[in-house]
Amino acid sequence: MTARLELGYLGFEVSDLAAWDRLLTQVIGMTANGQNVDGSQAYRMDEFAQRMFVREGPADDVCAVGLAAYNREEFDALCSRLRKAGIELQAGTPDELRARHVDHLVRFRDPWGNPLELCLGLKTSPTPFGSPVQPGGFVTGDMGMGHLILVMPDLDAAVPFYTDVIGMSVSDTGAEEWAGIVLSAVFLYANPRHHTIALAGGVPPVKRIAHFEVHVPSIDDVGLAWDRTRSAGVEVTHMPGRHTEGVYSFYGRTPSGFEYEVGTEGFRVDANWRQRHLSRFTLWGHHPPTPAEAAPSA
């Protein structure tokens, strides 16, 4: 049985806070929501007080993957599976609960060192969400804030941990040759989003994260985000295209070197979903830009 989880929030340790603030608020369309008690900066994308935070530091990588349990039963069951697997759990302190804007929190690392957090009770904001550059908002709801791709040194070993222990299910697997290397991926779901986490193998392990994705309501919203990316001079890493799970999107480069994706549409999955093995991850598009395509908009 698939665990009922969602991607509640993401945290990043970054060396350039100002550049990240510009990306998140002026390009992607989140809104800043003040400084947390631990000095991190909170960002909103829906009714919740925090869906992303950034803190200053040299890592330029993900520092927290917040998995939100749907209820206390799911929270306790996952804690039990983690303990049985020999994973050390650290209960969130009162200050950490305030910094994460949650009621309950345990922190742990997967066997490859990825910083995971299990939470319950995401706190809402007293004010409605409204972005001046992304008035349509973001698609979250029962699918969480989006998805992320984790780079794994041992993909075969990682899959059982994320399925048997974390409790996710495999939606699709695949492998594709790209720029002379074979990229392998296992897509994992724990709610109707096709994948909340994907595990990637064959990727040079420069960062723990390959990219994170945010979902917007329409192709027009993707197009507007594309225009903002180009106008801001942000590096485009993959041109607009359609993935094999139905998502229409493009990719850009964050100030920390890994990528972000803005997408829309895509398949919803449930217990009736039939797992596929993909020979390519994109139906069309998503190619790296040519020098002319990469030039910022005038």
Side-chain angles (χ1 to χ4, degrees), residues 61-62 65 82 85-88 108-116 150-166 188 197-201 205-209:
D61 207 344
V62 65
V65 178
L82 288 164
I87 302 298
E88 180 183 356
F108 62 99
R109 289 184 180 271
D110 73 10
W112 301 272
N114 290 299
L116 306 181
L150 291 174
V151 178
M152 306 303 297
D154 189 341
L155 186 59
D156 289 340
V159 174
F161 177 81
Y162 278 85
T163 54
D164 299 342
V165 180
I166 300 297
L188 302 165
I197 293 178
L199 308 176
V206 177
K207 305 282 184 181
R208 289 191 172 106
I209 183 173

Side-chain angles (χ1 to χ4, degrees), residues 26-28 133-135 137-138 214-232 236 238-242 247-251 260-265 284 286 297:
Q26 298 176 28
V27 177
I28 294 177
V133 301
Q134 177 52 32
F138 297 88
V214 296
H215 224 66
V216 291
S218 71
I219 289 177
D220 284 343
D221 289 306
V222 175
L224 291 168
W226 165 259
D227 282 349
R228 295 193 300 269
T229 294
R230 301 265 290 165
S231 295
V236 172
H238 297 282
M239 299 294 285
R242 178 80 69 177
V247 169
Y248 175 82
S249 66
F250 73 90
Y251 293 74
Y260 70 94
E261 179 184 11
V262 178
T264 192
E265 301 179 356
W284 58 265
H286 284 146
S297 299

Side-chain angles (χ1 to χ4, degrees), residues 33-277:
N33 197 30
Q35 191 174 78
N36 292 317
V37 294
D38 63 357
S40 62
Q41 173 65 53
Y43 292 89
R44 292 181 61 194
M45 58 189 297
D46 57 12
E47 72 271 23
F48 292 108
Q50 179 172 267
R51 285 295 200 174
M52 190 173 288
F53 69 85
V54 295
R55 70 185 189 203
E56 190 169 19
D60 276 316
D61 207 344
V62 65
C63 66
V65 178
L67 298 175
Y70 276 46
N71 53 49
R72 187 64 199 231
E73 182 180 4
E74 292 281 3
F75 183 91
D76 291 342
L78 179 47
C79 286
S80 177
R81 293 195 300 273
L82 288 164
R83 292 190 184 98
K84 288 179 181 177
I87 302 298
E88 180 183 356
L89 303 182
Q90 297 180 325
T93 66
D95 278 350
E96 286 172 336
L97 294 179
R98 286 194 290 272
R100 299 296 190 267
H101 300 267
V102 298
D103 292 328
H104 305 279
L105 175 72
V106 292
R107 296 184 291 109
F108 62 99
R109 289 184 180 271
D110 73 10
W112 301 272
N114 290 299
L116 306 181
E117 300 182 357
L118 175 65
C119 68
L120 180 65
L122 294 172
K123 293 187 179 298
T124 58
S125 174
T127 59
F129 174 75
S131 169
V133 301
Q134 177 52 32
F138 297 88
V139 179
T140 55
D142 62 351
M143 298 194 297
M145 68 160 288
H147 75 244
L148 80 157
I149 311 297
L150 291 174
V151 178
M152 306 303 297
D154 189 341
L155 186 59
D156 289 340
V159 174
F161 177 81
Y162 278 85
T163 54
D164 299 342
V165 180
I166 300 297
M168 293 182 165
S169 293
V170 177
S171 52
D172 289 322
T173 63
E176 180 180 10
E177 184 176 349
W178 188 266
I181 61 175
V182 176
L183 306 179
S184 299
V186 177
F187 300 91
L188 302 165
Y189 73 94
N191 58 66
R193 194 181 292 278
H194 176 270
H195 55 283
T196 290
I197 293 178
L199 308 176
V203 181
V206 177
K207 305 282 184 181
R208 289 191 172 106
I209 183 173
H211 76 257
F212 69 89
E213 186 257 9
V214 296
H215 224 66
V216 291
S218 71
I219 289 177
D220 284 343
D221 289 306
V222 175
L224 291 168
W226 165 259
D227 282 349
R228 295 193 300 269
T229 294
R230 301 265 290 165
S231 295
V234 174
E235 179 189 352
V236 172
T237 58
H238 297 282
M239 299 294 285
R242 178 80 69 177
H243 279 304
T244 46
E245 86 280 9
V247 169
Y248 175 82
S249 66
F250 73 90
Y251 293 74
R253 182 85 62 195
T254 71
S256 294
F258 53 87
E259 296 173 316
Y260 70 94
E261 179 184 11
V262 178
T264 192
E265 301 179 356
F267 303 148
R268 287 171 65 95
V269 298
D270 57 23
N272 296 317
W273 175 263
R274 299 190 66 176
Q275 179 183 323
R276 306 171 300 170
H277 182 76

